[in-house]
Amino acid sequence: MRVFTSATAPHRRHTSSRRGRPSTNERSSSNSSTAPLVLEEETTSDTTASGRSDAVLDLEREKTRLESFEAYVLVSILTASASFTILSEVTAPDSSSLSQLATVATVFISGLSAIAGLHATIVFSLCVLYGKTALGLYRDVQYAQFVKDTAPQRIRAFNSFSTSLLLFALQVELLLCEKAPPAFQGVAILVAMATTGALVWDWHSILQAAQRIFVPHEIEKMQ
């Protein structure tokens, strides 16, 4: 037993030393063949553990998509704050009944515009916040599911965004009618109606042109 132990012990030490210090050929072969396998296994295990998807997301495109949400946030903040300022500063006039009617309409429209802008700001801000958080934590599967699940909320937020902008335009035109002298109020109403019609027409044309962007690829190929 002693002879067998002494004979095998150096052999074990020699094997462990060879394992601890691989030769040059072993290093090159391990770097060329073993390392990619190890990295692939680690990636697979990380995918299962952390929720990554096999299909790698295009981070630049997803970043651009989230930045487009930030544009909605910026414009909604501007319209909401401007509408709230008009709402807090408007006063009831002592002149004609037409000015009083314009003032009441301004108060009502300003409140709706501020609320709609606030709704759009909150929804798009939260989408940007949690979307970037998911991408930063390599939660690609959760990010894709989050974008899919929050699509109805973003649609409603876009409707609020559009409503806030349109109501803000109406506020400016109502203020034009309210502040105009009584002799020019008829002209102010005509100008307001013409500018509103042109604004709505261009708005509708751009939305119609942008609908093709959101058509799925399968449907677009069929067309």
Side-chain angles (χ1 to χ4, degrees):
M1 290 296 296
R2 292 181 180 178
V3 177
F4 179 75
T5 305
S6 61
T8 55
H11 177 69
R12 290 181 178 178
R13 287 196 297 269
H14 181 66
T15 303
S16 63
S17 62
R18 287 182 62 187
R19 291 180 179 178
R21 296 180 180 179
S23 63
T24 305
N25 295 330
E26 291 176 347
R27 291 176 185 175
S28 61
S29 62
S30 62
N31 291 334
S32 61
S33 61
T34 308
L37 293 177
V38 173
L39 292 176
E40 186 177 356
E41 292 174 359
E42 291 177 353
T43 305
T44 305
S45 61
D46 291 341
T47 302
T48 306
S50 61
R52 299 183 189 179
S53 61
D54 295 334
V56 180
L57 291 175
D58 191 344
L59 294 181
E60 290 298 327
R61 290 184 179 274
E62 296 299 330
K63 181 181 177 181
T64 304
R65 184 180 186 182
L66 293 176
E67 287 176 353
S68 67
F69 295 164
E70 295 177 353
Y72 289 115
V73 174
L74 178 60
V75 177
S76 299
I77 289 176
L78 292 176
T79 55
S81 60
S83 299
F84 182 77
T85 301
I86 294 175
L87 180 63
S88 59
E89 293 181 355
V90 67
T91 56
D94 297 331
S95 56
S96 63
S97 60
L98 183 60
S99 297
Q100 293 179 357
L101 181 61
T103 301
V104 173
T106 301
V107 172
F108 182 73
I109 291 176
S110 298
L112 290 180
S113 178
I115 294 173
L118 183 61
H119 173 246
T121 301
I122 293 174
V123 172
F124 285 114
S125 297
L126 292 178
C127 288
V128 171
L129 174 63
Y130 292 117
K132 288 186 175 181
T133 301
L135 291 178
L137 295 175
Y138 295 97
R139 302 283 183 169
D140 296 349
V141 175
Q142 288 79 0
Y143 168 78
Q145 189 64 36
F146 173 76
V147 172
K148 180 180 178 181
D149 292 342
T150 55
Q153 286 77 14
R154 291 198 306 274
I155 292 175
R156 289 194 291 269
F158 175 76
N159 293 332
S160 296
F161 167 81
S162 301
T163 302
S164 179
L165 280 178
L166 181 59
L167 292 178
F168 179 73
L170 291 178
Q171 293 173 49
V172 176
E173 294 164 358
L174 287 173
L175 287 176
L176 176 64
C177 297
E178 179 185 349
K179 301 298 182 181
F184 296 97
Q185 284 184 350
V187 178
I189 292 175
L190 292 177
V191 172
M193 292 176 61
T195 54
T196 303
L199 187 149
V200 172
W201 176 261
D202 290 340
W203 197 327
H204 179 72
S205 300
I206 293 175
L207 291 181
Q208 288 294 113
Q211 284 183 356
R212 192 171 182 83
I213 300 175
F214 302 97
V215 174
H217 296 287
E218 295 79 5
I219 300 177
E220 188 175 3
K221 291 179 180 179
M222 292 175 61
Q223 294 178 352

